């Protein structure tokens, strides 16, 4: 109704930023976004199951080449500081060693993160074709209902929508850093 879902093209005059949710047993998801005036334009997305960090970097580089993106900042959640399952280093360091300067967002609770998304939601614009799975996930996302307290829990309902919703939270949490031209948040 607000015309915020439709064709949201890449604007070559603005940098493209990414936010990701790195999966262990679930997919890794990346959202590509631009800040254009007060708009937060989500122009592209991908998910990849069982991908190594090297594969994810290769995909990011291919998006850069195929779409002529000029990258700004790349954001990831706090768990990127955990050690990779296959090496003795953190996933954050692997990204950096492979040329992606990934910045770690501070840990925030689910409820606080949802409030940030609600606060920024009227500024979000989604490319309908490139973000189909994200849009489908947002339509289906919910939190657990506690029948005893008759309130929503502070936990996600455990399903496929969580990773997409988390990634959108990371986009919304990163906006202040992008708009203030802060280059490091960790």
């Amino acid at each position: 109704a607000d015309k915020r879902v439709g064709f949201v093209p890449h604007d070559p005059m603005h940098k493209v930023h990414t936010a990701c949710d790195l999966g262990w047993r679930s997919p890794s998801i990346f959202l590509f976004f631009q800040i254009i005036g007060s708009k937060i334009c989500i122009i592209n997305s991908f998910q990849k199951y069982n991908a190594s960090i090297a594969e994810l970097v290769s995909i990011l580089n291919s998006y850069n080449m195929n779409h002529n993106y000029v990258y700004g900042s790349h954001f990831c959640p706090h768990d990127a500081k955990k050690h990779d399952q296959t090496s003795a280093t953190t996933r954050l360091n692997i990204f950096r060693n492979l040329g992606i300067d990934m910045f770690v967002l501070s840990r925030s609770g689910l409820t606080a993160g949802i409030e940030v998304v609600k606060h920024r939601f009227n500024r979000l614009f989604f490319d309908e074709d490139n973000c189909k799975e994200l849009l489908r996930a947002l339509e289906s996302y919910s939190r657990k209902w506690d029948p005893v307290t008759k309130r929503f829990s502070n936990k996600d309902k455990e399903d496929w929508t969580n990773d997409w919703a988390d990634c959108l939270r990371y986009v919304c949490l990163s906006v202040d850093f992008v708009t203030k031209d802060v280059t490091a948040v960790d």
Side-chain angles (χ1 to χ4, degrees):
D2 293 341
K3 299 191 185 322
R4 293 185 295 113
V5 175
F7 179 58
V8 181
H10 164 239
D11 183 340
M13 299 302 292
H14 292 85
K15 290 184 178 179
V16 175
H17 309 281
T18 68
C20 67
D21 184 53
L22 300 171
W24 288 97
R25 290 181 282 284
S26 58
S28 290
I29 295 172
F30 278 77
L31 296 178
F32 299 79
F33 67 99
Q34 294 183 288
I35 307 295
I36 302 173
S38 64
K39 295 179 180 178
I40 305 164
C41 300
I42 309 209
I43 60 171
N44 221 325
S45 65
F46 78 83
Q47 72 174 339
K48 180 79 173 161
Y49 284 88
N50 303 317
S52 68
I53 302 299
E55 288 175 284
L56 296 174
V57 168
S58 177
I59 293 168
L60 286 172
N61 289 336
S62 73
Y63 272 77
N64 183 4
M65 290 178 62
N66 294 334
H67 300 286
N68 296 315
Y69 291 165
V70 174
Y71 284 132
S73 300
H74 302 278
F75 297 92
C76 60
H78 68 280
D79 61 358
K81 289 183 177 180
K82 292 182 181 177
H83 282 77
D84 184 68
Q85 293 175 326
T86 59
S87 69
T89 189
T90 66
R91 299 191 291 170
L92 176 64
N93 285 335
I94 296 170
F95 271 112
R96 288 181 175 167
N97 289 338
L98 293 172
I100 301 293
D101 202 8
M102 190 71 71
F103 301 109
V104 178
L105 294 165
S106 299
R107 187 176 196 152
S108 70
L110 178 65
T111 303
I114 289 171
E115 290 304 314
V116 170
V117 173
K118 285 180 181 178
H119 176 72
R120 295 209 160 112
F121 200 78
N122 66 337
R123 294 177 51 199
L124 291 168
F125 290 77
F126 302 89
D127 187 273
E128 189 170 25
D129 289 335
N130 294 329
C131 300
K132 286 180 183 174
E133 284 299 303
L134 170 63
L135 293 167
R136 199 167 71 88
L138 294 177
E139 287 177 345
S140 301
Y141 176 80
S142 64
R143 290 192 290 172
K144 288 183 181 177
W145 178 257
D146 185 337
V148 175
T149 62
K150 297 186 185 332
R151 304 168 77 181
F152 284 106
S153 154
N154 287 335
K155 296 183 180 182
D156 289 330
K157 195 183 239 185
E158 300 282 335
D159 64 17
W160 68 275
T161 65
N162 297 359
D163 300 313
W164 288 99
D166 287 345
C167 201
L168 183 63
R169 279 192 297 123
Y170 303 142
V171 167
C172 291
L173 289 167
S174 67
V175 167
D176 287 339
F177 298 106
V178 171
T179 56
K180 292 178 185 172
D181 285 329
V182 173
T183 56
V185 293
D186 63 349

